[in-house]
Amino acid sequence: PVRVRPLKAQWYGFAMSRNALPKREIEYQVTVIEDGFYRYELAGMRKPNDFAAYAKSFLKPKTHDEWQEFEDLGLSVYRAANFSEGCLESLFVAATAYDKPLLPSRAWLGSVFGKSDFAPHERTALLAGVPTAGVEDVGPIVCSCFSVGERTIAKTIKEHKLSDYQAVGERCKAGTNCGSCIPEIKVLLVK
């Protein structure tokens, strides 16, 4: 038997790191191993008094690393990024209300871990939580076999007026390997 009930957390967020981080004392922490980094989905019953201190204790940046942060007290949003020799080592994102616009796209943020150097405007984009001009946010990954995101699939469906998942696969490869994402593609087809 399983008992499920909502977690009435005071804050939500996530962290990403090139290296595995130790488990913390927090009410909700899920670790996801991604391609080249670890993602930690987080939620806490008590909002930290100081998100900057909490983020630093969670990510453990080295003393020579560059630490950048953004906080909007009105929206209760906090974001921080840790760079080492120009590479993004880790980041931390938190908000006191679970609202998708307040939490940036994990898919897009995950895609920048492969970059070796960040221009100042790209660092600002990280903290703002939006891709720089010319970089497309593919949305949450639906097809993990080919790393095809929800927004890419929806755009493909709309642009080509597609009505079945096989046609989607022909255009963007989603659903053409293991097939586990076909139900999600079918849902996107009826939206």
Side-chain angles (χ1 to χ4, degrees):
V2 175
R3 184 179 205 185
V4 178
R5 59 187 166 95
L7 176 68
K8 295 185 176 156
Q10 296 297 307
W11 68 275
Y12 300 84
F14 61 91
M16 295 178 172
S17 176
R18 284 185 183 273
N19 301 304
L21 300 172
K23 182 143 176 60
R24 301 284 192 248
E25 289 293 322
I26 186 170
E27 288 78 11
Y28 182 83
Q29 178 178 326
V30 174
T31 304
V32 180
I33 301 171
E34 300 273 2
D35 187 18
F37 66 97
Y38 295 82
R39 187 180 85 231
Y40 301 89
E41 295 294 328
L42 309 167
M45 299 302 287
R46 290 170 303 282
K47 179 184 168 213
N49 292 331
D50 181 355
F51 268 123
Y54 185 85
K56 283 183 179 178
S57 74
F58 193 88
L59 299 177
K60 304 258 188 249
K62 296 178 180 87
T63 54
H64 64 275
D65 287 355
E66 296 175 65
W67 182 263
Q68 292 183 285
E69 57 192 345
F70 164 83
E71 186 168 22
D72 184 326
L73 296 174
L75 290 176
S76 293
V77 172
Y78 177 81
R79 299 180 185 135
N82 174 38
F83 296 89
S84 178
E85 298 178 14
C87 293
L88 179 63
E89 287 296 316
S90 58
L91 59 86
F92 182 90
V93 175
T96 58
Y98 189 78
D99 188 357
K100 287 188 180 182
L102 296 178
L103 297 174
S105 166
R106 290 148 176 85
W108 167 68
L109 288 171
S111 72
V112 301
F113 269 87
K115 283 184 62 73
S116 60
D117 194 29
F118 284 82
H121 72 280
E122 292 172 314
R123 288 182 179 212
T124 302
L126 276 176
L127 295 179
V130 294
T132 56
V135 176
E136 187 176 353
D137 179 5
V138 299
I141 299 299
V142 172
C143 175
S144 59
C145 295
F146 297 109
S147 297
V148 184
E150 182 179 286
R151 290 184 181 144
T152 300
I153 295 169
K155 181 179 174 183
T156 302
I157 291 168
K158 184 177 179 182
E159 284 180 0
H160 300 285
K161 298 177 177 56
L162 303 178
S163 59
D164 62 66
Y165 74 90
Q166 292 96 340
V168 172
E170 290 171 11
R171 294 285 180 173
C172 67
K173 295 176 90 174
T176 61
N177 192 36
C178 77
S180 67
C181 61
I182 291 173
E184 289 180 79
I185 295 168
K186 288 180 177 180
V187 169
L188 291 171
L189 282 163
V190 296
K191 282 188 175 182

